[in-house]
Amino acid sequence: MQDIERFIRGFSRFQQRFMSEPVVRASLRDGQHPSTLVIGCCDARVDPALLTGCDPGDIFVVRNIANLVPPCTADASAGVSSAIEFAVCGLEVARVVVLGHARCGGIRALMSGQRVTEETDFVARWMRIAEPVRAEVLRALPHKHDDARCRAAEQASILHSLDNLMTYPWLRRRVEAGKVALHGWYFDIGTGELLAYSPRKQEFLNLVQPLDAAA
């Protein structure tokens, strides 16, 4: 009950901040016009709106285990694919950000092969999308510690999702026409830094420095 009461108090603060202003309330009521689609992880520590300081209506968010994008196939996950389709074709967002993070439970499950439950195993089935990432990391880093492999897989899975985004024909056309930009971001929970993938340098570079460096 303590959590529920905290949620209700939190909603009251939201109501006072965003709903008490008639102009803001009208803008929220009349529709959404986000400029950015963020594909993030379900992890409770990695809320895209909180991380980026966004207000309601600023970003369109899709969250799933390990921030994965399935390729455009007949049997692709309708939940994720339909959200991408709506954001790109319906809302006409200008950019898509795949937001991955350190210490991702989905990636750790992928790399270890451990099952979450013996009854259904939905997580393992979903993580098959990133099986090429697992194979490549194991091939490239055969002697590395599990933590190093997981970090490599967390970042490689972002790139894998960016590649999968380009299999959607309507998105590819917009990217090639310069109407939509794709970004791969990585949030390191341990250091507090935010990195972005640089296609030119083919590596993740700092967008926001670690806390210690900033201090």
Side-chain angles (χ1 to χ4, degrees):
M1 286 301 295
Q2 289 182 344
D3 278 345
I4 294 298
E5 292 170 357
R6 181 161 60 94
F7 299 157
I8 295 171
R9 290 195 300 271
F11 179 80
S12 295
R13 290 192 296 271
F14 164 84
Q15 184 188 63
Q16 290 301 312
R17 180 180 177 188
F18 294 107
M19 305 302 290
S20 60
E21 292 289 336
V23 174
V24 176
R25 191 185 339 175
S27 68
L28 295 177
R29 182 190 62 220
D30 293 342
Q32 58 174 327
H33 307 284
S35 63
T36 302
L37 163 64
V38 178
I39 302 170
C41 183
C42 293
D43 193 302
R45 302 165 294 177
V46 192
D47 185 308
L50 285 176
L51 291 182
T52 56
C54 284
D55 291 338
D58 287 348
I59 56 175
F60 191 82
V61 179
V62 182
R63 299 180 72 176
N64 62 65
I65 299 295
N67 44 268
L68 297 181
V69 174
C72 184
T73 61
D75 59 348
S77 166
V80 175
S81 300
S82 64
I84 296 170
E85 181 183 65
F86 181 70
V88 173
C89 302
L91 299 175
E92 298 184 336
V93 296
R95 67 193 61 81
V96 180
V97 178
V98 178
L99 174 62
H101 68 97
R103 296 169 171 80
C104 178
I107 294 297
R108 190 162 293 276
L110 170 73
M111 298 305 294
S112 67
Q114 292 181 343
R115 297 168 64 104
V116 176
T117 173
E118 295 298 324
E119 295 176 294
T120 52
D121 204 23
F122 289 127
V123 172
R125 279 192 272 170
W126 172 251
M127 293 306 300
R128 287 175 192 160
I129 295 170
E131 183 57 37
V133 169
R134 178 179 185 272
E136 176 59 23
V137 168
L138 292 178
R139 184 197 65 77
L141 305 175
H143 304 301
K144 288 290 185 178
H145 189 273
D146 288 346
D147 288 344
R149 287 178 176 178
C150 283
R151 184 179 178 88
E154 287 160 357
Q155 296 187 350
S157 70
I158 296 172
L159 306 184
H160 186 60
S161 286
L162 290 173
D163 288 342
N164 283 347
L165 281 171
M166 291 295 283
T167 66
Y168 293 82
W170 28 264
L171 178 54
R172 173 182 281 275
R173 287 194 296 269
R174 286 168 169 80
V175 171
E176 292 175 345
K179 296 181 178 179
V180 175
L182 302 183
H183 303 271
W185 287 5
Y186 181 79
F187 169 48
D188 191 320
I189 296 174
T191 65
E193 66 186 318
L194 180 66
L195 301 96
Y197 182 72
S198 169
R200 183 171 64 86
K201 293 195 173 182
Q202 297 188 334
E203 62 179 320
F204 282 85
L205 304 175
N206 283 111
L207 279 180
V208 180
Q209 293 288 333
L211 285 170
D212 291 343

